[in-house]
Amino acid sequence: MYDVCVQLFRDRGVELEDIADCAKLLQKDYYPDLTLEEVMDAVKQVISKREVQHAIVTGINMDIMAEQGKLQTKELESILMQDYSLYGVDEVLAYGICNIYGSIALTNYGYIDRVKPGIIAKLNNHIGPQCNTFLDDIVGAIAASAASRIAHGKEKGDSGEK
């Protein structure tokens, strides 16, 4: 399922490095020597979790069905195609990812969802026929969760805990 998720991202114009760049942005002030390789490892670990994979597949498929006109409820399709600001289910799905990684992930997600750096801004610009209502939030949640993983890992390493 991991490979399915990575391919879904690629098909939608997102590379894992794009997600890692967002996660690194969240941690750069705390760990200035953090390498992209370390961040990529954290991103891959987040995507390796079954709950995260289910969120990725569900959200991206909702986006695809909306843009292909395959949703039974046309009002929902319209909401998804315009990424209607009062539709919060996309954020709820993202919270589900962040909840696995705790309060640091949730606060990081809130920040990244507000500032929309890098690939998240590109996905959120609504130019073209691609629906990214769920995708931008999923990418942000994975970046926030990877940043949380890094923070927790560095904290353990700094304090000597196992």
Side-chain angles (χ1 to χ4, degrees):
M1 188 72 137
Y2 174 89
D3 292 332
V4 168
C5 292
V6 171
Q7 190 59 52
L8 280 170
F9 281 135
R10 283 193 177 125
D11 292 347
R12 307 299 285 174
V14 177
E15 296 294 332
L16 297 188
E17 291 83 3
D18 298 325
I19 301 172
D21 287 339
C22 293
K24 189 171 183 188
L25 172 80
L26 292 167
Q27 289 298 314
K28 70 179 173 71
D29 292 341
Y30 306 103
Y31 306 108
D33 296 332
L34 186 65
T35 67
L36 191 58
E37 183 179 318
E38 290 174 294
V39 182
M40 279 293 292
D41 183 56
V43 167
K44 290 174 181 177
Q45 291 298 320
V46 170
I47 296 171
S48 292
K49 293 197 87 50
R50 182 177 307 151
E51 301 94 331
V52 175
Q53 293 170 354
H54 291 164
I56 292 167
V57 171
T58 299
I60 292 176
N61 273 279
M62 288 295 294
D63 284 344
I64 291 168
M65 288 188 302
E67 72 192 39
Q68 291 177 349
K70 292 186 177 178
L71 292 174
Q72 182 69 35
T73 306
K74 296 306 171 191
E75 292 82 3
L76 175 60
E77 200 169 273
S78 174
I79 287 169
L80 295 182
M81 287 304 296
Q82 65 179 323
D83 197 2
Y84 182 61
S85 62
L86 294 178
Y87 179 78
V89 178
D90 48 340
E91 279 88 5
V92 171
L93 190 65
Y95 297 155
I97 293 170
C98 294
N99 278 330
I100 300 166
Y101 292 93
S103 60
I104 294 173
L106 285 166
T107 55
N108 277 334
Y109 172 73
Y111 174 78
I112 212 166
D113 189 46
R114 186 175 49 83
V115 235
K116 301 191 187 313
I119 188 68
I120 298 169
K122 182 179 175 185
L123 295 171
N124 197 56
N125 71 14
H126 309 293
I127 296 173
Q130 184 168 306
C131 177
N132 296 322
T133 296
F134 285 91
L135 181 59
D136 65 333
D137 293 300
I138 289 168
V139 167
I142 293 169
S145 296
S148 178
R149 245 183 96 71
I150 291 164
H152 286 288
K154 294 284 188 183
E155 183 178 290
K156 284 182 184 177
D158 292 342
S159 67
E161 295 175 27
K162 298 278 180 199

